[in-house]
Amino acid sequence: PPSPPPLPPFTPATQLVETVDQLRERLKDAEGLCTDRPGASSGIAWFDGEGDGCDEYSSYNRCDKHGSTDFNGEGRAKVHCCVCGGGDNRAPSANVSLQLQRDALFRLGGSE
């Protein structure tokens, strides 16, 4: 009989959890599961007082540098912007959950 395929390299549980979390974030954006919250006082698209909105916070590490500050009463980017880990999230659809399971299983070297 043919020899079995080699075992995949050991992945510590902490690395697996980070991998699954990263997959969730990627699929959340791809599936449109996250919606930026409107500004706290204006009710329109969130901005930081200088005219920069959530899209601008996705570059130059702005979420880490400035995302915890409420510059103008509109709230913090880390609460209002999906790119900063905020926004409103809906539960993933069954298809997304299944894809997450498949991706995690694939990364472990298993099969369905």
Side-chain angles (χ1 to χ4, degrees):
S3 48
L7 292 173
F10 176 73
T11 302
T14 54
Q15 287 181 357
L16 177 61
V17 170
E18 291 169 1
T19 301
V20 171
D21 286 345
Q22 290 168 353
L23 287 169
R24 281 193 181 113
E25 288 300 315
R26 180 171 53 82
L27 288 172
K28 178 173 64 173
D29 291 337
E31 293 286 324
L33 295 176
C34 186
T35 305
D36 293 333
R37 292 181 183 176
S41 36
S42 68
I44 59 173
W46 180 89
F47 65 100
D48 65 3
E50 294 183 12
D52 292 331
C54 291
D55 289 340
E56 287 81 14
Y57 270 67
S58 65
S59 58
Y60 303 113
N61 204 23
R62 293 187 72 187
C63 293
D64 290 335
K65 291 179 183 175
H66 308 293
S68 296
T69 304
D70 182 353
F71 292 101
N72 60 351
E74 288 293 300
R76 299 172 292 133
K78 287 189 175 185
V79 172
H80 291 268
C81 300
C82 295
V83 298
C84 296
D88 288 320
N89 299 309
R90 296 190 303 264
S93 67
N95 289 340
V96 172
S97 294
L98 182 59
Q99 186 62 44
L100 285 170
Q101 292 172 14
R102 286 180 180 158
D103 285 354
L105 187 60
F106 175 76
R107 288 179 186 275
L108 287 174
S111 60
E112 295 182 67

